[in-house]
Amino acid sequence: MDQAQYNKSLFSFLTSSPTPYHATAGMEDFLRSHGFVQLQENNKWNLQQGHSYYVTRENSATIAFTLGSNEEVVHGFRMLAAHTDSPCLQIKPRPDVKTGTYHQLGVEVYGGPLLGSWFDRDLCLAGRVVCTTDDQKLAVLLVNFNRALLTIPSIAIHFNREANSGTSIDKQKHLPPIIAQALDQQLPELHALLRGQLQLQHPRVKFGKLLAFDLFCYDFQGPGYLGIDNEFISSARLDNLLSCHVGIMALGHADRTKNTLLFCANHEENGSTSATGAHGSFIDSVLDRLADDAESRRRALSNSFLVSMDNAHAAHPNFMDKMDPHHDIHLNKGPVIKINANQRYATSSLSAAIYKDICGEIDITPQEFVMRSDLPCGSTIGPITAARLGIKTIDIGAPTLAMHSIRELTGSGDPFLLYRTISQFLHADTHHKLLHI
């Protein structure tokens, strides 16, 4: 696989994954096509060495793993972690707002998006819907309107002369997007629109009452190349679907002789405290079933190594003073090791050395990021998972500009560079010579 082929696969994944539910469904399809067997948490598991499995929770988090034919569980796992969610606008349960002749939808802010970037964009709706069926069961259905459907118009500068000097955004008043207009005031409600879309996308399901939904606005513009030589990739949800794609591709193409595991969690952008988040029980519940007893589990975790993947900040050419002057990060210059003295990232000197050693085997030199000492630092699921499992961990990611914007930017070579290092990690024996230092 070359870079162009890899990016084509990434673009397809980004386009088909407007929500964590769609990303999880896409990963399920990929895993099944690569020989992974689905497991259910409420069933008994009969696992065999040399085989690969996956399990999902709440349609939005996935754990996939291979029990290597040449390794026992106590030998440990080469583990990967990423998250399926991105900052966005989530539709409220009773969303319909009628203002004059306009039909708008009430929204909540999910995570920490750059809200200004959501104005004047072609937006769409997608998510999951729970409804009854004609046999009185519950059906969980994915829905995607898959067309430009909504917009949040900016107020004209004539009404806000200070717009270019900095304008505060009222999350309650300024964010409801427009979805329709009717001069006769007969505006369709969202439930009616959803029913019509569900009938189109799930014609075989005879559903009755629509009970609840998790719906999100998303940028309808697809991913694409920018720059004279197509040296950049612009897309929504690079944070963190880029890492999910790296993980699933590397795991799917890894050989089955070694123990490997991928954890794609939900709700990282709002704190990870949920049944599907890194603070939840999902990863523990799976690991408990892979080891026969507590001692075997502790031995396995002690022999394991976790690469937590989440996008890293690149140096912005218009704001170079925001970067530590000795740790500026550039696009297309290699994956980024993220370091923080206060453990906002889980990287240690040992875990950094292990990853650098792996990168060196394929002639890739990683970059190293630290935040300016006078600015607060973000975090990800690396420290959470490391603390929960007691496992050696490194936080890395592809360099990114405009993180948390509705459109983010990375280098066209960065996803493939990250993939190559992760693929090498899953194949290499490098980390074993360092694990017991």
Short mmCIF file of all heavy atoms in Angstrom, two decimals, residues 81-113:
data_model
loop_
_atom_site.label_atom_id
_atom_site.label_comp_id
_atom_site.label_asym_id
_atom_site.label_seq_id
_atom_site.Cartn_x
_atom_site.Cartn_y
_atom_site.Cartn_z
N ALA A 81 -4.85 2.78 21.17
CA ALA A 81 -6.06 3.44 21.66
C ALA A 81 -6.29 4.73 20.88
O ALA A 81 -5.33 5.42 20.50
CB ALA A 81 -5.96 3.74 23.15
N ALA A 82 -7.55 5.03 20.63
CA ALA A 82 -7.96 6.26 19.96
C ALA A 82 -9.39 6.55 20.42
O ALA A 82 -9.94 5.83 21.26
CB ALA A 82 -7.87 6.12 18.44
N HIS A 83 -10.00 7.60 19.87
CA HIS A 83 -11.40 7.88 20.24
C HIS A 83 -12.22 8.21 19.01
O HIS A 83 -11.71 8.77 18.03
CB HIS A 83 -11.51 8.97 21.30
CG HIS A 83 -11.02 10.33 20.90
ND1 HIS A 83 -11.84 11.25 20.27
CD2 HIS A 83 -9.82 10.94 21.05
CE1 HIS A 83 -11.16 12.37 20.06
NE2 HIS A 83 -9.94 12.21 20.52
N THR A 84 -13.51 7.89 19.06
CA THR A 84 -14.39 7.98 17.90
C THR A 84 -15.13 9.31 17.80
O THR A 84 -15.72 9.60 16.76
CB THR A 84 -15.43 6.85 17.93
OG1 THR A 84 -16.19 6.95 19.16
CG2 THR A 84 -14.78 5.48 17.87
N ASP A 85 -15.15 10.10 18.86
CA ASP A 85 -15.97 11.33 18.86
C ASP A 85 -15.13 12.54 18.48
O ASP A 85 -13.90 12.54 18.58
CB ASP A 85 -16.63 11.53 20.22
CG ASP A 85 -15.63 11.68 21.36
OD1 ASP A 85 -14.58 11.00 21.33
OD2 ASP A 85 -15.88 12.49 22.29
N SER A 86 -15.84 13.59 18.05
CA SER A 86 -15.23 14.87 17.68
C SER A 86 -16.10 16.01 18.19
O SER A 86 -17.32 15.84 18.34
CB SER A 86 -15.10 14.98 16.15
OG SER A 86 -14.33 13.92 15.61
N PRO A 87 -15.53 17.17 18.46
CA PRO A 87 -16.34 18.31 18.92
C PRO A 87 -17.38 18.68 17.85
O PRO A 87 -17.08 18.70 16.65
CB PRO A 87 -15.31 19.43 19.10
CG PRO A 87 -14.00 18.73 19.24
CD PRO A 87 -14.10 17.51 18.39
N CYS A 88 -18.58 19.00 18.31
CA CYS A 88 -19.65 19.28 17.33
C CYS A 88 -20.85 19.91 18.03
O CYS A 88 -20.77 20.31 19.19
CB CYS A 88 -20.06 17.99 16.61
SG CYS A 88 -20.74 16.73 17.70
N LEU A 89 -21.97 19.95 17.33
CA LEU A 89 -23.24 20.42 17.88
C LEU A 89 -24.21 19.26 17.90
O LEU A 89 -24.46 18.62 16.88
CB LEU A 89 -23.80 21.56 17.03
CG LEU A 89 -22.90 22.79 16.87
CD1 LEU A 89 -23.58 23.82 15.97
CD2 LEU A 89 -22.55 23.39 18.22
N GLN A 90 -24.77 18.97 19.08
CA GLN A 90 -25.70 17.86 19.25
C GLN A 90 -27.13 18.39 19.37
O GLN A 90 -27.39 19.38 20.04
CB GLN A 90 -25.34 17.03 20.49
CG GLN A 90 -26.23 15.81 20.69
CD GLN A 90 -25.70 14.85 21.74
OE1 GLN A 90 -24.67 15.11 22.36
NE2 GLN A 90 -26.39 13.74 21.94
N ILE A 91 -28.05 17.70 18.70
CA ILE A 91 -29.45 18.13 18.68
C ILE A 91 -30.11 17.81 20.02
O ILE A 91 -29.95 16.73 20.58
CB ILE A 91 -30.21 17.40 17.55
CG1 ILE A 91 -29.53 17.68 16.20
CG2 ILE A 91 -31.66 17.84 17.52
CD1 ILE A 91 -29.48 19.13 15.81
N LYS A 92 -30.89 18.79 20.53
CA LYS A 92 -31.61 18.59 21.79
C LYS A 92 -32.78 17.63 21.62
O LYS A 92 -33.29 17.45 20.50
CB LYS A 92 -32.10 19.94 22.32
CG LYS A 92 -30.98 20.87 22.77
CD LYS A 92 -31.53 22.18 23.32
CE LYS A 92 -30.40 23.06 23.83
NZ LYS A 92 -30.90 24.35 24.38
N PRO A 93 -33.25 16.99 22.70
CA PRO A 93 -34.35 16.01 22.59
C PRO A 93 -35.64 16.59 22.01
O PRO A 93 -36.35 15.92 21.27
CB PRO A 93 -34.56 15.53 24.03
CG PRO A 93 -33.26 15.80 24.71
CD PRO A 93 -32.70 17.04 24.07
N ARG A 94 -35.97 17.82 22.39
CA ARG A 94 -37.14 18.50 21.84
C ARG A 94 -36.62 19.72 21.09
O ARG A 94 -36.63 20.84 21.60
CB ARG A 94 -38.11 18.88 22.96
CG ARG A 94 -38.67 17.67 23.70
CD ARG A 94 -39.47 18.06 24.93
NE ARG A 94 -40.64 18.86 24.57
CZ ARG A 94 -41.47 19.42 25.46
NH1 ARG A 94 -41.23 19.25 26.76
NH2 ARG A 94 -42.50 20.11 25.07
N PRO A 95 -36.18 19.53 19.87
CA PRO A 95 -35.35 20.54 19.21
C PRO A 95 -36.09 21.62 18.43
O PRO A 95 -35.50 22.66 18.14
CB PRO A 95 -34.52 19.69 18.24
CG PRO A 95 -35.46 18.59 17.85
CD PRO A 95 -36.28 18.29 19.08
N ASP A 96 -37.33 21.37 18.07
CA ASP A 96 -37.99 22.25 17.10
C ASP A 96 -38.21 23.66 17.65
O ASP A 96 -38.84 23.84 18.70
CB ASP A 96 -39.32 21.63 16.68
CG ASP A 96 -39.13 20.30 15.96
OD1 ASP A 96 -38.60 20.31 14.83
OD2 ASP A 96 -39.47 19.26 16.56
N VAL A 97 -37.64 24.63 16.94
CA VAL A 97 -37.75 26.04 17.32
C VAL A 97 -38.33 26.79 16.12
O VAL A 97 -37.79 26.72 15.01
CB VAL A 97 -36.38 26.63 17.69
CG1 VAL A 97 -36.51 28.11 18.03
CG2 VAL A 97 -35.76 25.87 18.85
N LYS A 98 -39.42 27.50 16.32
CA LYS A 98 -40.03 28.28 15.25
C LYS A 98 -39.87 29.76 15.55
O LYS A 98 -40.37 30.26 16.54
CB LYS A 98 -41.51 27.91 15.11
CG LYS A 98 -41.72 26.46 14.67
CD LYS A 98 -43.19 26.09 14.61
CE LYS A 98 -43.38 24.68 14.06
NZ LYS A 98 -42.72 23.64 14.89
N THR A 99 -39.13 30.43 14.67
CA THR A 99 -38.87 31.86 14.82
C THR A 99 -39.29 32.56 13.54
O THR A 99 -38.66 32.35 12.49
CB THR A 99 -37.38 32.12 15.09
OG1 THR A 99 -36.94 31.33 16.20
CG2 THR A 99 -37.14 33.59 15.39
N GLY A 100 -40.35 33.35 13.60
CA GLY A 100 -40.87 33.95 12.37
C GLY A 100 -41.31 32.85 11.41
O GLY A 100 -42.09 31.97 11.76
N THR A 101 -40.79 32.88 10.21
CA THR A 101 -41.13 31.84 9.23
C THR A 101 -40.08 30.74 9.18
O THR A 101 -40.15 29.85 8.33
CB THR A 101 -41.25 32.46 7.82
OG1 THR A 101 -39.99 33.00 7.44
CG2 THR A 101 -42.33 33.54 7.78
N TYR A 102 -39.11 30.78 10.10
CA TYR A 102 -38.00 29.82 10.05
C TYR A 102 -38.22 28.66 11.03
O TYR A 102 -38.74 28.83 12.13
CB TYR A 102 -36.67 30.50 10.38
CG TYR A 102 -36.29 31.56 9.38
CD1 TYR A 102 -36.41 32.91 9.70
CD2 TYR A 102 -35.80 31.21 8.12
CE1 TYR A 102 -36.05 33.88 8.79
CE2 TYR A 102 -35.46 32.19 7.20
CZ TYR A 102 -35.57 33.52 7.54
OH TYR A 102 -35.23 34.48 6.64
N HIS A 103 -37.79 27.49 10.60
CA HIS A 103 -37.73 26.32 11.46
C HIS A 103 -36.27 26.09 11.81
O HIS A 103 -35.43 25.88 10.94
CB HIS A 103 -38.30 25.09 10.74
CG HIS A 103 -38.31 23.85 11.58
ND1 HIS A 103 -38.61 22.62 11.06
CD2 HIS A 103 -38.04 23.63 12.89
CE1 HIS A 103 -38.54 21.70 12.00
NE2 HIS A 103 -38.19 22.29 13.12
N GLN A 104 -35.97 26.16 13.10
CA GLN A 104 -34.61 25.93 13.58
C GLN A 104 -34.59 24.74 14.53
O GLN A 104 -35.63 24.27 14.99
CB GLN A 104 -34.09 27.18 14.30
CG GLN A 104 -33.95 28.40 13.41
CD GLN A 104 -33.62 29.64 14.23
OE1 GLN A 104 -34.51 30.31 14.75
NE2 GLN A 104 -32.33 29.95 14.33
N LEU A 105 -33.37 24.25 14.81
CA LEU A 105 -33.18 23.13 15.73
C LEU A 105 -32.33 23.57 16.91
O LEU A 105 -31.25 24.14 16.72
CB LEU A 105 -32.51 21.95 15.01
CG LEU A 105 -33.26 21.36 13.82
CD1 LEU A 105 -32.46 20.19 13.24
CD2 LEU A 105 -34.65 20.90 14.22
N GLY A 106 -32.81 23.29 18.10
CA GLY A 106 -32.03 23.58 19.29
C GLY A 106 -30.85 22.63 19.40
O GLY A 106 -30.98 21.43 19.15
N VAL A 107 -29.68 23.16 19.78
CA VAL A 107 -28.48 22.35 19.87
C VAL A 107 -27.75 22.59 21.19
O VAL A 107 -27.85 23.66 21.79
CB VAL A 107 -27.51 22.64 18.70
CG1 VAL A 107 -28.11 22.19 17.38
CG2 VAL A 107 -27.13 24.12 18.64
N GLU A 108 -27.03 21.57 21.62
CA GLU A 108 -26.07 21.67 22.70
C GLU A 108 -24.67 21.59 22.10
O GLU A 108 -24.46 20.95 21.07
CB GLU A 108 -26.23 20.52 23.70
CG GLU A 108 -27.36 20.67 24.68
CD GLU A 108 -27.27 19.60 25.76
OE1 GLU A 108 -27.66 18.45 25.50
OE2 GLU A 108 -26.78 19.92 26.85
N VAL A 109 -23.72 22.20 22.77
CA VAL A 109 -22.33 22.12 22.33
C VAL A 109 -21.72 20.84 22.91
O VAL A 109 -21.70 20.63 24.12
CB VAL A 109 -21.52 23.34 22.79
CG1 VAL A 109 -20.05 23.19 22.40
CG2 VAL A 109 -22.10 24.61 22.17
N TYR A 110 -21.22 19.98 22.03
CA TYR A 110 -20.56 18.73 22.42
C TYR A 110 -19.05 18.94 22.39
O TYR A 110 -18.48 19.26 21.35
CB TYR A 110 -20.96 17.60 21.48
CG TYR A 110 -20.32 16.26 21.82
CD1 TYR A 110 -21.01 15.32 22.57
CD2 TYR A 110 -19.02 15.97 21.42
CE1 TYR A 110 -20.43 14.10 22.89
CE2 TYR A 110 -18.43 14.76 21.75
CZ TYR A 110 -19.14 13.83 22.48
OH TYR A 110 -18.53 12.63 22.82
N GLY A 111 -18.41 18.78 23.54
CA GLY A 111 -16.97 18.96 23.60
C GLY A 111 -16.59 20.43 23.50
O GLY A 111 -17.32 21.32 23.93
N GLY A 112 -15.42 20.69 22.91
CA GLY A 112 -14.91 22.05 22.83
C GLY A 112 -14.60 22.48 21.41
O GLY A 112 -13.44 22.70 21.05
N PRO A 113 -15.63 22.64 20.56
CA PRO A 113 -15.38 23.07 19.19
C PRO A 113 -15.01 24.54 19.08
O PRO A 113 -15.35 25.34 19.97
CB PRO A 113 -16.72 22.80 18.49
CG PRO A 113 -17.74 22.96 19.58
CD PRO A 113 -17.07 22.44 20.83
#
